């Protein structure tokens, strides 16, 4: 039987929706669609949404950023507002802050995002900010350094 958290993800959290936010369609790598990080997916609609929504690949169908999943992340942390996608890395325990390759330091420039990353690091998680091929580890002390 699914837990409450899984049920909440499927039902959605009241007041939270992608709306016109399409940052995941731009800055994430989507190998199934041959889409590198940076340019918008060819199926992304400018006003929001997907041109192949009913036939989109499972990787898109199954994806939700942490802003959508976490009731405690308020409107100031919505990706379309920050330029940063907060997310769990698939198949690892790492927590990621993913930025556009052309704006690699948005995770550091936004005080709310950086404070959240430090808070997650203080919980014992490995926190990594990424932009294209660049990456930085964020430590519980608030220090950060390049990483792989």
């Amino acid at each position: 039987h699914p837990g409450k958290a899984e049920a909440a993800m499927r039902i959605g959290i009241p007041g939270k929706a992608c709306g016109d936010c399409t940052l995941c369609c731009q800055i994430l790598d989507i190998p199934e669609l041959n889409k590198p990080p940076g340019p918008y997916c060819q199926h992304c609609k400018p006003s929001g949404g997907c041109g192949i929504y009913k036939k989109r690949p499972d990787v898109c169908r199954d994806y939700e950023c942490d802003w959508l999943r976490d009731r405690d992340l308020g409107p100031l942390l919505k990706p379309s507002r920050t330029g940063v996608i907060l997310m769990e890395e698939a198949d690892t325990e790492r927590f990621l802050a993913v930025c556009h390759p052309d704006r690699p330091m948005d995770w550091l420039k936004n005080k709310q995002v950086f404070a959240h990353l430090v808070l997650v690091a203080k919980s014992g998680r490995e926190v990594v900010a990424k932009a294209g091929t660049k990456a930085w580890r964020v430590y519980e002390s608030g220090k950060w350094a390049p990483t792989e």
Side-chain angles (χ1 to χ4, degrees):
H1 294 281
K4 287 182 183 179
E6 291 170 337
M9 286 191 307
R10 281 195 306 276
I11 296 169
I13 296 174
K16 289 203 170 186
C18 297
D20 62 357
C21 182
T22 56
L23 206 58
C24 61
C25 301
Q26 181 182 23
I27 66 176
L28 296 182
D29 177 34
I30 308 171
E32 293 82 350
L33 296 172
N34 295 318
K35 192 214 127 349
Y40 274 102
C41 172
Q42 63 181 343
H43 305 291
C44 182
K45 295 180 181 177
S47 59
C50 177
I52 59 167
Y53 186 79
K54 290 183 180 180
K55 296 180 181 178
R56 70 195 187 281
D58 287 342
V59 69
C60 299
R61 188 176 308 277
D62 296 339
Y63 180 77
E64 283 187 323
C65 70
D66 267 30
W67 183 83
L68 278 176
R69 297 172 44 159
D70 188 338
R71 187 178 302 278
D72 295 330
L73 295 182
L76 292 178
L77 291 174
K78 187 172 183 177
S80 57
R81 189 170 191 161
T82 63
V84 180
I85 296 176
L86 301 173
M87 60 184 277
E88 308 292 326
E89 184 175 52
D91 304 323
T92 75
E93 293 294 315
R94 294 195 322 173
F95 185 83
L96 301 179
V98 185
C99 301
H100 191 286
D102 293 342
R103 296 190 332 262
M105 303 309 282
D106 280 358
W107 61 274
L108 184 60
K109 292 177 183 175
N110 185 300
K111 291 178 183 173
Q112 289 88 4
V113 169
F114 186 69
H116 182 71
L117 298 179
V118 171
L119 186 66
V120 173
K122 285 181 179 180
S123 76
R125 302 275 310 272
E126 180 181 350
V127 177
V128 175
K130 293 178 71 172
T133 58
K134 298 176 185 171
W136 301 266
R137 174 86 186 263
V138 179
Y139 297 94
E140 62 184 68
S141 65
K143 293 184 179 185
W144 54 274
T147 190
E148 292 193 21

